[in-house]
Amino acid sequence: YLEGLMELGLIGMGLFTLAFGSTLIRVWRWRTEPLVAGFLAALTSYAIVAFFGFPLRIASSAIVFLLIWAGLEAVIATGGAYAEGARTA
């Protein structure tokens, strides 16, 4: 994370933290939904890997991170499986 701070600067890292933090705050009420819990587990494991290395410098790894983040945002935006009008199995 220090390397990201050095490359992005204080403003860039602050914007990234603001964007990512707002997602985590909004997802907190959906944490019991299985799909959201899976996405949170994936982001947690990615954060652990990022602590010891630089996975966002590898394009394929950065795309995986962005897809996980986008999937989490999509589940939150649509209201998840319990949204009104959602199909039941």
Side-chain angles (χ1 to χ4, degrees), residues 13-85:
M13 193 63 164
L15 289 173
F16 175 77
T17 304
L18 180 69
F20 195 66
S22 69
T23 299
L24 293 179
I25 289 170
R26 286 183 301 140
V27 79
W28 188 250
R29 74 180 180 131
W30 297 102
R31 69 187 182 278
T32 57
E33 187 172 337
L35 188 58
V36 173
F39 278 127
L40 284 176
L43 285 176
T44 301
S45 64
Y46 199 91
I48 292 169
V49 169
F51 185 77
F52 295 104
F54 309 108
L56 290 176
R57 298 188 92 190
I58 303 168
S60 60
S61 182
I63 289 172
V64 169
F65 173 74
L66 292 175
L67 286 174
I68 293 169
W69 192 356
L72 186 58
E73 286 285 344
V75 170
I76 295 169
T78 60
Y82 303 110
E84 185 178 327

Short mmCIF file of all heavy atoms in Angstrom, two decimals, residues 13-85:
data_model
loop_
_atom_site.label_atom_id
_atom_site.label_comp_id
_atom_site.label_asym_id
_atom_site.label_seq_id
_atom_site.Cartn_x
_atom_site.Cartn_y
_atom_site.Cartn_z
N MET A 13 -4.29 8.33 -3.86
CA MET A 13 -4.57 7.27 -2.91
C MET A 13 -5.80 7.62 -2.08
O MET A 13 -6.59 6.74 -1.73
CB MET A 13 -3.35 7.04 -2.00
CG MET A 13 -3.44 5.79 -1.20
SD MET A 13 -3.49 4.35 -2.29
CE MET A 13 -3.11 3.09 -1.15
N GLY A 14 -5.99 8.91 -1.78
CA GLY A 14 -7.18 9.33 -1.06
C GLY A 14 -8.45 9.08 -1.87
O GLY A 14 -9.46 8.63 -1.32
N LEU A 15 -8.40 9.35 -3.17
CA LEU A 15 -9.56 9.10 -4.03
C LEU A 15 -9.86 7.61 -4.14
O LEU A 15 -11.02 7.19 -4.12
CB LEU A 15 -9.34 9.71 -5.42
CG LEU A 15 -9.38 11.23 -5.48
CD1 LEU A 15 -8.98 11.71 -6.87
CD2 LEU A 15 -10.75 11.74 -5.10
N PHE A 16 -8.82 6.80 -4.27
CA PHE A 16 -9.02 5.35 -4.33
C PHE A 16 -9.62 4.84 -3.03
O PHE A 16 -10.55 4.05 -3.03
CB PHE A 16 -7.69 4.64 -4.61
CG PHE A 16 -7.81 3.14 -4.57
CD1 PHE A 16 -8.39 2.45 -5.62
CD2 PHE A 16 -7.37 2.43 -3.46
CE1 PHE A 16 -8.51 1.07 -5.58
CE2 PHE A 16 -7.48 1.06 -3.42
CZ PHE A 16 -8.06 0.38 -4.48
N THR A 17 -9.09 5.32 -1.90
CA THR A 17 -9.62 4.90 -0.60
C THR A 17 -11.06 5.36 -0.42
O THR A 17 -11.89 4.61 0.12
CB THR A 17 -8.73 5.47 0.53
OG1 THR A 17 -7.39 5.05 0.31
CG2 THR A 17 -9.20 5.02 1.89
N LEU A 18 -11.38 6.55 -0.89
CA LEU A 18 -12.75 7.05 -0.80
C LEU A 18 -13.71 6.19 -1.63
O LEU A 18 -14.78 5.80 -1.16
CB LEU A 18 -12.81 8.51 -1.28
CG LEU A 18 -14.18 9.18 -1.25
CD1 LEU A 18 -14.62 9.38 0.19
CD2 LEU A 18 -14.12 10.49 -1.98
N ALA A 19 -13.32 5.86 -2.86
CA ALA A 19 -14.17 5.04 -3.73
C ALA A 19 -14.35 3.63 -3.17
O ALA A 19 -15.46 3.11 -3.10
CB ALA A 19 -13.58 4.99 -5.14
N PHE A 20 -13.26 3.03 -2.77
CA PHE A 20 -13.32 1.66 -2.25
C PHE A 20 -14.01 1.62 -0.90
O PHE A 20 -14.79 0.71 -0.61
CB PHE A 20 -11.91 1.08 -2.16
CG PHE A 20 -11.90 -0.41 -1.98
CD1 PHE A 20 -12.37 -1.24 -2.98
CD2 PHE A 20 -11.42 -0.97 -0.82
CE1 PHE A 20 -12.35 -2.61 -2.81
CE2 PHE A 20 -11.40 -2.34 -0.65
CZ PHE A 20 -11.88 -3.15 -1.65
N GLY A 21 -13.75 2.60 -0.06
CA GLY A 21 -14.39 2.67 1.25
C GLY A 21 -15.89 2.88 1.15
O GLY A 21 -16.65 2.31 1.93
N SER A 22 -16.34 3.69 0.19
CA SER A 22 -17.78 3.90 0.03
C SER A 22 -18.47 2.61 -0.40
O SER A 22 -19.60 2.34 0.02
CB SER A 22 -18.05 5.01 -0.97
OG SER A 22 -17.70 4.63 -2.28
N THR A 23 -17.80 1.79 -1.20
CA THR A 23 -18.36 0.50 -1.58
C THR A 23 -18.49 -0.40 -0.35
O THR A 23 -19.52 -1.04 -0.15
CB THR A 23 -17.48 -0.19 -2.63
OG1 THR A 23 -17.43 0.61 -3.80
CG2 THR A 23 -18.02 -1.56 -2.99
N LEU A 24 -17.47 -0.44 0.47
CA LEU A 24 -17.51 -1.29 1.66
C LEU A 24 -18.56 -0.84 2.66
O LEU A 24 -19.21 -1.66 3.30
CB LEU A 24 -16.13 -1.35 2.31
CG LEU A 24 -15.05 -2.05 1.50
CD1 LEU A 24 -13.73 -2.02 2.24
CD2 LEU A 24 -15.45 -3.47 1.17
N ILE A 25 -18.75 0.46 2.78
CA ILE A 25 -19.78 0.97 3.69
C ILE A 25 -21.18 0.59 3.18
O ILE A 25 -22.04 0.16 3.95
CB ILE A 25 -19.64 2.49 3.86
CG1 ILE A 25 -18.39 2.80 4.68
CG2 ILE A 25 -20.87 3.09 4.53
CD1 ILE A 25 -18.01 4.25 4.72
N ARG A 26 -21.40 0.73 1.87
CA ARG A 26 -22.71 0.39 1.32
C ARG A 26 -22.99 -1.10 1.34
O ARG A 26 -24.13 -1.54 1.44
CB ARG A 26 -22.84 0.91 -0.11
CG ARG A 26 -23.03 2.40 -0.15
CD ARG A 26 -23.24 2.91 -1.54
NE ARG A 26 -22.08 2.56 -2.36
CZ ARG A 26 -22.17 2.14 -3.61
NH1 ARG A 26 -23.31 2.01 -4.19
NH2 ARG A 26 -21.08 1.86 -4.29
N VAL A 27 -21.96 -1.92 1.26
CA VAL A 27 -22.15 -3.37 1.20
C VAL A 27 -22.41 -3.96 2.59
O VAL A 27 -22.88 -5.09 2.69
CB VAL A 27 -20.93 -4.05 0.52
CG1 VAL A 27 -19.78 -4.17 1.48
CG2 VAL A 27 -21.29 -5.40 -0.04
N TRP A 28 -22.16 -3.22 3.64
CA TRP A 28 -22.26 -3.77 4.98
C TRP A 28 -23.65 -4.33 5.28
O TRP A 28 -23.79 -5.36 5.92
CB TRP A 28 -21.88 -2.71 6.01
CG TRP A 28 -21.79 -3.28 7.38
CD1 TRP A 28 -22.63 -3.05 8.42
CD2 TRP A 28 -20.81 -4.21 7.86
NE1 TRP A 28 -22.25 -3.76 9.51
CE2 TRP A 28 -21.13 -4.49 9.20
CE3 TRP A 28 -19.71 -4.83 7.28
CZ2 TRP A 28 -20.37 -5.36 9.97
CZ3 TRP A 28 -18.96 -5.69 8.06
CH2 TRP A 28 -19.30 -5.94 9.38
N ARG A 29 -24.72 -3.69 4.80
CA ARG A 29 -26.05 -4.21 5.10
C ARG A 29 -26.41 -5.44 4.27
O ARG A 29 -27.35 -6.15 4.57
CB ARG A 29 -27.12 -3.14 4.96
CG ARG A 29 -27.45 -2.77 3.55
CD ARG A 29 -28.52 -1.71 3.54
NE ARG A 29 -28.81 -1.37 2.17
CZ ARG A 29 -30.02 -1.31 1.68
NH1 ARG A 29 -31.05 -1.53 2.44
NH2 ARG A 29 -30.21 -1.00 0.42
N TRP A 30 -25.66 -5.71 3.20
CA TRP A 30 -25.90 -6.89 2.35
C TRP A 30 -24.96 -8.03 2.69
O TRP A 30 -24.93 -9.04 2.00
CB TRP A 30 -25.71 -6.52 0.88
CG TRP A 30 -26.67 -5.51 0.39
CD1 TRP A 30 -26.42 -4.18 0.19
CD2 TRP A 30 -28.03 -5.71 0.03
NE1 TRP A 30 -27.53 -3.55 -0.25
CE2 TRP A 30 -28.55 -4.47 -0.38
CE3 TRP A 30 -28.86 -6.81 0.01
CZ2 TRP A 30 -29.86 -4.32 -0.79
CZ3 TRP A 30 -30.16 -6.66 -0.40
CH2 TRP A 30 -30.65 -5.42 -0.79
N ARG A 31 -24.19 -7.92 3.75
CA ARG A 31 -23.13 -8.90 4.04
C ARG A 31 -23.65 -10.30 4.31
O ARG A 31 -22.91 -11.25 4.19
CB ARG A 31 -22.28 -8.42 5.20
CG ARG A 31 -23.00 -8.42 6.53
CD ARG A 31 -22.17 -7.78 7.62
NE ARG A 31 -22.84 -7.82 8.90
CZ ARG A 31 -23.77 -6.98 9.31
NH1 ARG A 31 -24.15 -6.00 8.49
NH2 ARG A 31 -24.32 -7.08 10.49
N THR A 32 -24.93 -10.45 4.65
CA THR A 32 -25.45 -11.80 4.93
C THR A 32 -25.91 -12.52 3.67
O THR A 32 -26.17 -13.72 3.70
CB THR A 32 -26.63 -11.72 5.91
OG1 THR A 32 -27.63 -10.87 5.37
CG2 THR A 32 -26.16 -11.20 7.26
N GLU A 33 -26.01 -11.82 2.55
CA GLU A 33 -26.39 -12.47 1.30
C GLU A 33 -25.19 -13.28 0.78
O GLU A 33 -24.06 -12.78 0.75
CB GLU A 33 -26.80 -11.42 0.26
CG GLU A 33 -27.35 -12.04 -0.98
CD GLU A 33 -27.94 -11.02 -1.92
OE1 GLU A 33 -28.31 -9.94 -1.50
OE2 GLU A 33 -27.99 -11.35 -3.11
N PRO A 34 -25.41 -14.53 0.38
CA PRO A 34 -24.29 -15.40 0.01
C PRO A 34 -23.40 -14.85 -1.12
O PRO A 34 -22.18 -14.96 -1.06
CB PRO A 34 -24.97 -16.69 -0.43
CG PRO A 34 -26.28 -16.69 0.26
CD PRO A 34 -26.68 -15.25 0.37
N LEU A 35 -24.00 -14.24 -2.12
CA LEU A 35 -23.21 -13.71 -3.24
C LEU A 35 -22.32 -12.56 -2.78
O LEU A 35 -21.14 -12.47 -3.15
CB LEU A 35 -24.13 -13.26 -4.37
CG LEU A 35 -23.47 -12.86 -5.68
CD1 LEU A 35 -22.65 -14.02 -6.24
CD2 LEU A 35 -24.52 -12.45 -6.69
N VAL A 36 -22.85 -11.70 -1.95
CA VAL A 36 -22.07 -10.58 -1.42
C VAL A 36 -20.97 -11.09 -0.51
O VAL A 36 -19.84 -10.59 -0.54
CB VAL A 36 -22.99 -9.57 -0.70
CG1 VAL A 36 -22.18 -8.51 0.01
CG2 VAL A 36 -23.96 -8.94 -1.68
N ALA A 37 -21.27 -12.10 0.30
CA ALA A 37 -20.26 -12.67 1.19
C ALA A 37 -19.11 -13.27 0.37
O ALA A 37 -17.95 -13.14 0.76
CB ALA A 37 -20.89 -13.73 2.09
N GLY A 38 -19.42 -13.89 -0.75
CA GLY A 38 -18.38 -14.43 -1.62
C GLY A 38 -17.51 -13.35 -2.22
O GLY A 38 -16.28 -13.48 -2.28
N PHE A 39 -18.15 -12.27 -2.68
CA PHE A 39 -17.38 -11.14 -3.22
C PHE A 39 -16.50 -10.51 -2.15
O PHE A 39 -15.36 -10.14 -2.40
CB PHE A 39 -18.31 -10.08 -3.82
CG PHE A 39 -18.77 -10.39 -5.21
CD1 PHE A 39 -20.12 -10.38 -5.53
CD2 PHE A 39 -17.88 -10.66 -6.22
CE1 PHE A 39 -20.57 -10.66 -6.80
CE2 PHE A 39 -18.30 -10.94 -7.51
CZ PHE A 39 -19.65 -10.94 -7.80
N LEU A 40 -17.03 -10.38 -0.93
CA LEU A 40 -16.24 -9.82 0.17
C LEU A 40 -15.06 -10.72 0.52
O LEU A 40 -13.97 -10.23 0.81
CB LEU A 40 -17.11 -9.59 1.40
CG LEU A 40 -18.03 -8.39 1.34
CD1 LEU A 40 -18.91 -8.34 2.57
CD2 LEU A 40 -17.24 -7.11 1.20
N ALA A 41 -15.26 -12.02 0.49
CA ALA A 41 -14.15 -12.95 0.73
C ALA A 41 -13.08 -12.82 -0.35
O ALA A 41 -11.88 -12.85 -0.05
CB ALA A 41 -14.67 -14.38 0.80
N ALA A 42 -13.52 -12.65 -1.59
CA ALA A 42 -12.56 -12.47 -2.69
C ALA A 42 -11.76 -11.18 -2.53
O ALA A 42 -10.55 -11.15 -2.72
CB ALA A 42 -13.29 -12.48 -4.03
N LEU A 43 -12.45 -10.09 -2.15
CA LEU A 43 -11.76 -8.82 -1.95
C LEU A 43 -10.82 -8.88 -0.75
O LEU A 43 -9.73 -8.29 -0.77
CB LEU A 43 -12.76 -7.68 -1.78
CG LEU A 43 -13.45 -7.23 -3.04
CD1 LEU A 43 -14.48 -6.15 -2.71
CD2 LEU A 43 -12.46 -6.71 -4.06
N THR A 44 -11.21 -9.60 0.30
CA THR A 44 -10.35 -9.74 1.47
C THR A 44 -9.08 -10.51 1.12
O THR A 44 -7.97 -10.12 1.50
CB THR A 44 -11.10 -10.45 2.61
OG1 THR A 44 -12.26 -9.69 2.93
CG2 THR A 44 -10.23 -10.60 3.83
N SER A 45 -9.24 -11.60 0.37
CA SER A 45 -8.05 -12.36 -0.03
C SER A 45 -7.16 -11.54 -0.95
O SER A 45 -5.94 -11.61 -0.87
CB SER A 45 -8.45 -13.67 -0.69
OG SER A 45 -9.14 -13.43 -1.89
N TYR A 46 -7.77 -10.74 -1.82
CA TYR A 46 -6.98 -9.88 -2.70
C TYR A 46 -6.22 -8.83 -1.89
O TYR A 46 -5.07 -8.52 -2.19
CB TYR A 46 -7.90 -9.20 -3.72
CG TYR A 46 -7.15 -8.68 -4.91
CD1 TYR A 46 -6.97 -9.47 -6.03
CD2 TYR A 46 -6.62 -7.41 -4.92
CE1 TYR A 46 -6.27 -9.00 -7.12
CE2 TYR A 46 -5.92 -6.93 -5.99
CZ TYR A 46 -5.76 -7.73 -7.10
OH TYR A 46 -5.06 -7.26 -8.17
N ALA A 47 -6.86 -8.29 -0.85
CA ALA A 47 -6.19 -7.30 0.00
C ALA A 47 -5.01 -7.91 0.74
O ALA A 47 -3.98 -7.25 0.92
CB ALA A 47 -7.18 -6.70 0.98
N ILE A 48 -5.14 -9.16 1.15
CA ILE A 48 -4.03 -9.83 1.83
C ILE A 48 -2.87 -10.04 0.86
O ILE A 48 -1.72 -9.80 1.19
CB ILE A 48 -4.50 -11.17 2.44
CG1 ILE A 48 -5.46 -10.89 3.60
CG2 ILE A 48 -3.31 -12.01 2.90
CD1 ILE A 48 -6.17 -12.12 4.10
N VAL A 49 -3.18 -10.46 -0.36
CA VAL A 49 -2.13 -10.62 -1.38
C VAL A 49 -1.48 -9.28 -1.70
O VAL A 49 -0.26 -9.18 -1.84
CB VAL A 49 -2.71 -11.27 -2.65
CG1 VAL A 49 -1.73 -11.21 -3.80
CG2 VAL A 49 -3.11 -12.71 -2.38
N ALA A 50 -2.28 -8.23 -1.76
CA ALA A 50 -1.75 -6.90 -2.09
C ALA A 50 -0.86 -6.35 -0.98
O ALA A 50 0.01 -5.52 -1.24
CB ALA A 50 -2.90 -5.93 -2.36
N PHE A 51 -1.06 -6.82 0.24
CA PHE A 51 -0.21 -6.37 1.34
C PHE A 51 1.23 -6.86 1.17
O PHE A 51 2.17 -6.17 1.54
CB PHE A 51 -0.78 -6.85 2.67
CG PHE A 51 -0.03 -6.34 3.86
CD1 PHE A 51 -0.22 -5.03 4.29
CD2 PHE A 51 0.86 -7.15 4.54
CE1 PHE A 51 0.48 -4.55 5.39
CE2 PHE A 51 1.56 -6.67 5.64
CZ PHE A 51 1.37 -5.38 6.06
N PHE A 52 1.39 -8.04 0.58
CA PHE A 52 2.71 -8.63 0.44
C PHE A 52 3.31 -8.46 -0.95
O PHE A 52 4.47 -8.78 -1.16
CB PHE A 52 2.67 -10.12 0.78
CG PHE A 52 2.33 -10.37 2.22
CD1 PHE A 52 1.07 -10.79 2.57
CD2 PHE A 52 3.26 -10.15 3.20
CE1 PHE A 52 0.75 -11.02 3.90
CE2 PHE A 52 2.96 -10.37 4.54
CZ PHE A 52 1.69 -10.80 4.89
N GLY A 53 2.54 -8.01 -1.92
CA GLY A 53 3.06 -7.87 -3.27
C GLY A 53 2.43 -6.68 -3.98
O GLY A 53 1.86 -5.79 -3.35
N PHE A 54 2.53 -6.68 -5.29
CA PHE A 54 2.01 -5.58 -6.09
C PHE A 54 1.11 -6.14 -7.20
O PHE A 54 1.43 -6.04 -8.38
CB PHE A 54 3.16 -4.79 -6.72
CG PHE A 54 4.19 -4.36 -5.72
CD1 PHE A 54 5.44 -4.96 -5.70
CD2 PHE A 54 3.91 -3.38 -4.80
CE1 PHE A 54 6.38 -4.57 -4.78
CE2 PHE A 54 4.85 -2.98 -3.87
CZ PHE A 54 6.09 -3.58 -3.86
N PRO A 55 -0.05 -6.71 -6.84
CA PRO A 55 -0.87 -7.37 -7.86
C PRO A 55 -1.53 -6.40 -8.85
O PRO A 55 -1.85 -6.80 -9.96
CB PRO A 55 -1.92 -8.11 -7.04
CG PRO A 55 -2.03 -7.33 -5.79
CD PRO A 55 -0.64 -6.82 -5.52
N LEU A 56 -1.71 -5.15 -8.49
CA LEU A 56 -2.35 -4.21 -9.41
C LEU A 56 -1.42 -3.78 -10.54
O LEU A 56 -1.87 -3.14 -11.49
CB LEU A 56 -2.89 -2.99 -8.66
CG LEU A 56 -4.08 -3.28 -7.76
CD1 LEU A 56 -4.46 -2.03 -6.99
CD2 LEU A 56 -5.26 -3.79 -8.55
N ARG A 57 -0.15 -4.12 -10.47
CA ARG A 57 0.78 -3.80 -11.55
C ARG A 57 0.70 -4.82 -12.68
O ARG A 57 1.20 -4.57 -13.77
CB ARG A 57 2.20 -3.74 -11.01
CG ARG A 57 2.33 -2.63 -9.96
CD ARG A 57 3.72 -2.43 -9.58
NE ARG A 57 4.22 -1.38 -10.47
CZ ARG A 57 5.47 -1.05 -10.57
NH1 ARG A 57 6.38 -1.68 -9.87
NH2 ARG A 57 5.85 -0.08 -11.38
N ILE A 58 0.10 -5.97 -12.42
CA ILE A 58 -0.08 -7.00 -13.43
C ILE A 58 -1.48 -6.83 -14.01
O ILE A 58 -2.47 -6.84 -13.28
CB ILE A 58 0.09 -8.41 -12.82
CG1 ILE A 58 1.47 -8.52 -12.17
CG2 ILE A 58 -0.13 -9.48 -13.86
CD1 ILE A 58 1.63 -9.74 -11.29
N ALA A 59 -1.55 -6.65 -15.32
CA ALA A 59 -2.84 -6.30 -15.95
C ALA A 59 -3.92 -7.34 -15.69
O ALA A 59 -5.06 -6.99 -15.37
CB ALA A 59 -2.64 -6.10 -17.45
N SER A 60 -3.59 -8.62 -15.82
CA SER A 60 -4.62 -9.65 -15.63
C SER A 60 -5.12 -9.67 -14.19
O SER A 60 -6.31 -9.88 -13.93
CB SER A 60 -4.07 -11.01 -16.02
OG SER A 60 -2.94 -11.33 -15.24
N SER A 61 -4.24 -9.45 -13.25
CA SER A 61 -4.65 -9.42 -11.85
C SER A 61 -5.47 -8.17 -11.54
O SER A 61 -6.43 -8.23 -10.76
CB SER A 61 -3.39 -9.46 -10.97
OG SER A 61 -3.75 -9.49 -9.62
N ALA A 62 -5.12 -7.06 -12.13
CA ALA A 62 -5.90 -5.82 -11.93
C ALA A 62 -7.30 -5.96 -12.51
O ALA A 62 -8.27 -5.47 -11.93
CB ALA A 62 -5.17 -4.65 -12.56
N ILE A 63 -7.42 -6.65 -13.64
CA ILE A 63 -8.74 -6.86 -14.24
C ILE A 63 -9.60 -7.74 -13.35
O ILE A 63 -10.80 -7.49 -13.18
CB ILE A 63 -8.59 -7.45 -15.66
CG1 ILE A 63 -8.05 -6.38 -16.60
CG2 ILE A 63 -9.92 -7.98 -16.17
CD1 ILE A 63 -7.68 -6.88 -17.96
N VAL A 64 -9.00 -8.76 -12.75
CA VAL A 64 -9.75 -9.62 -11.82
C VAL A 64 -10.26 -8.79 -10.64
O VAL A 64 -11.42 -8.90 -10.24
CB VAL A 64 -8.88 -10.80 -11.33
CG1 VAL A 64 -9.53 -11.52 -10.18
CG2 VAL A 64 -8.60 -11.75 -12.48
N PHE A 65 -9.41 -7.92 -10.10
CA PHE A 65 -9.82 -7.05 -9.00
C PHE A 65 -10.98 -6.15 -9.41
O PHE A 65 -11.97 -6.02 -8.69
CB PHE A 65 -8.63 -6.20 -8.54
CG PHE A 65 -8.99 -5.16 -7.52
CD1 PHE A 65 -9.26 -5.53 -6.21
CD2 PHE A 65 -9.05 -3.83 -7.86
CE1 PHE A 65 -9.59 -4.57 -5.26
CE2 PHE A 65 -9.38 -2.87 -6.93
CZ PHE A 65 -9.65 -3.24 -5.62
N LEU A 66 -10.89 -5.55 -10.58
CA LEU A 66 -11.96 -4.66 -11.05
C LEU A 66 -13.25 -5.42 -11.34
O LEU A 66 -14.34 -4.91 -11.09
CB LEU A 66 -11.49 -3.89 -12.29
CG LEU A 66 -10.40 -2.86 -12.02
CD1 LEU A 66 -9.93 -2.24 -13.33
CD2 LEU A 66 -10.88 -1.79 -11.07
N LEU A 67 -13.14 -6.65 -11.83
CA LEU A 67 -14.35 -7.45 -12.06
C LEU A 67 -15.03 -7.85 -10.75
O LEU A 67 -16.26 -7.84 -10.66
CB LEU A 67 -14.00 -8.70 -12.87
CG LEU A 67 -13.72 -8.47 -14.35
CD1 LEU A 67 -13.26 -9.77 -15.01
CD2 LEU A 67 -14.94 -7.92 -15.05
N ILE A 68 -14.24 -8.18 -9.74
CA ILE A 68 -14.82 -8.50 -8.43
C ILE A 68 -15.51 -7.26 -7.87
O ILE A 68 -16.64 -7.33 -7.37
CB ILE A 68 -13.73 -9.01 -7.47
CG1 ILE A 68 -13.19 -10.35 -7.92
CG2 ILE A 68 -14.26 -9.10 -6.04
CD1 ILE A 68 -11.95 -10.80 -7.18
N TRP A 69 -14.85 -6.12 -7.96
CA TRP A 69 -15.42 -4.86 -7.46
C TRP A 69 -16.70 -4.51 -8.21
O TRP A 69 -17.71 -4.14 -7.64
CB TRP A 69 -14.38 -3.77 -7.56
CG TRP A 69 -14.69 -2.49 -6.85
CD1 TRP A 69 -15.84 -2.17 -6.18
CD2 TRP A 69 -13.84 -1.37 -6.72
NE1 TRP A 69 -15.74 -0.91 -5.65
CE2 TRP A 69 -14.53 -0.41 -5.97
CE3 TRP A 69 -12.56 -1.08 -7.17
CZ2 TRP A 69 -13.97 0.83 -5.66
CZ3 TRP A 69 -12.02 0.16 -6.86
CH2 TRP A 69 -12.71 1.10 -6.12
N ALA A 70 -16.67 -4.64 -9.54
CA ALA A 70 -17.86 -4.34 -10.35
C ALA A 70 -19.00 -5.31 -10.05
O ALA A 70 -20.17 -4.91 -10.01
CB ALA A 70 -17.50 -4.39 -11.83
N GLY A 71 -18.68 -6.58 -9.85
CA GLY A 71 -19.72 -7.55 -9.49
C GLY A 71 -20.36 -7.22 -8.17
O GLY A 71 -21.59 -7.31 -8.01
N LEU A 72 -19.57 -6.81 -7.22
CA LEU A 72 -20.10 -6.40 -5.92
C LEU A 72 -21.00 -5.18 -6.06
O LEU A 72 -22.09 -5.12 -5.48
CB LEU A 72 -18.94 -6.12 -4.96
CG LEU A 72 -19.28 -5.83 -3.52
CD1 LEU A 72 -20.05 -7.00 -2.91
CD2 LEU A 72 -18.02 -5.57 -2.74
N GLU A 73 -20.57 -4.21 -6.84
CA GLU A 73 -21.39 -3.02 -7.08
C GLU A 73 -22.70 -3.38 -7.79
O GLU A 73 -23.75 -2.82 -7.49
CB GLU A 73 -20.62 -2.00 -7.92
CG GLU A 73 -19.54 -1.27 -7.17
CD GLU A 73 -20.09 -0.22 -6.24
OE1 GLU A 73 -21.26 0.18 -6.37
OE2 GLU A 73 -19.33 0.20 -5.35
N ALA A 74 -22.65 -4.32 -8.72
CA ALA A 74 -23.86 -4.72 -9.44
C ALA A 74 -24.85 -5.40 -8.51
O ALA A 74 -26.06 -5.15 -8.60
CB ALA A 74 -23.49 -5.65 -10.60
N VAL A 75 -24.38 -6.24 -7.62
CA VAL A 75 -25.27 -6.90 -6.67
C VAL A 75 -25.92 -5.88 -5.75
O VAL A 75 -27.12 -5.94 -5.47
CB VAL A 75 -24.51 -7.98 -5.86
CG1 VAL A 75 -25.35 -8.51 -4.72
CG2 VAL A 75 -24.09 -9.11 -6.77
N ILE A 76 -25.14 -4.91 -5.29
CA ILE A 76 -25.69 -3.88 -4.42
C ILE A 76 -26.70 -3.02 -5.17
O ILE A 76 -27.78 -2.71 -4.65
CB ILE A 76 -24.56 -2.99 -3.87
CG1 ILE A 76 -23.64 -3.80 -2.97
CG2 ILE A 76 -25.13 -1.82 -3.09
CD1 ILE A 76 -22.39 -3.05 -2.62
N ALA A 77 -26.39 -2.64 -6.40
CA ALA A 77 -27.27 -1.75 -7.17
C ALA A 77 -28.60 -2.41 -7.51
O ALA A 77 -29.63 -1.74 -7.54
CB ALA A 77 -26.56 -1.31 -8.44
N THR A 78 -28.59 -3.71 -7.75
CA THR A 78 -29.84 -4.39 -8.12
C THR A 78 -30.62 -4.86 -6.91
O THR A 78 -31.74 -5.34 -7.06
CB THR A 78 -29.55 -5.60 -9.03
OG1 THR A 78 -28.70 -6.51 -8.34
CG2 THR A 78 -28.92 -5.17 -10.33
N GLY A 79 -30.06 -4.73 -5.74
CA GLY A 79 -30.77 -5.14 -4.54
C GLY A 79 -30.56 -6.58 -4.18
O GLY A 79 -31.17 -7.08 -3.24
N GLY A 80 -29.76 -7.30 -4.89
CA GLY A 80 -29.46 -8.68 -4.57
C GLY A 80 -30.60 -9.63 -4.88
O GLY A 80 -31.56 -9.29 -5.58
N ALA A 81 -30.52 -10.81 -4.35
CA ALA A 81 -31.51 -11.85 -4.64
C ALA A 81 -32.85 -11.57 -3.99
O ALA A 81 -33.86 -12.13 -4.37
CB ALA A 81 -30.97 -13.21 -4.18
N TYR A 82 -32.87 -10.69 -2.99
CA TYR A 82 -34.09 -10.42 -2.25
C TYR A 82 -34.81 -9.18 -2.74
O TYR A 82 -35.71 -8.68 -2.08
CB TYR A 82 -33.79 -10.29 -0.76
CG TYR A 82 -33.12 -11.52 -0.23
CD1 TYR A 82 -31.79 -11.50 0.16
CD2 TYR A 82 -33.80 -12.73 -0.16
CE1 TYR A 82 -31.16 -12.63 0.63
CE2 TYR A 82 -33.18 -13.87 0.31
CZ TYR A 82 -31.87 -13.82 0.69
OH TYR A 82 -31.25 -14.95 1.14
N ALA A 83 -34.40 -8.67 -3.89
CA ALA A 83 -35.04 -7.49 -4.44
C ALA A 83 -36.47 -7.80 -4.88
O ALA A 83 -36.80 -8.94 -5.20
CB ALA A 83 -34.25 -6.95 -5.63
N GLU A 84 -37.30 -6.79 -4.89
CA GLU A 84 -38.69 -6.96 -5.33
C GLU A 84 -38.70 -7.38 -6.79
O GLU A 84 -38.04 -6.79 -7.63
CB GLU A 84 -39.44 -5.65 -5.16
CG GLU A 84 -40.91 -5.77 -5.47
CD GLU A 84 -41.63 -4.45 -5.24
OE1 GLU A 84 -41.24 -3.71 -4.33
OE2 GLU A 84 -42.58 -4.18 -5.98
N GLY A 85 -39.41 -8.42 -7.09
CA GLY A 85 -39.50 -8.91 -8.47
C GLY A 85 -38.40 -9.90 -8.82
O GLY A 85 -38.32 -10.35 -9.95
#
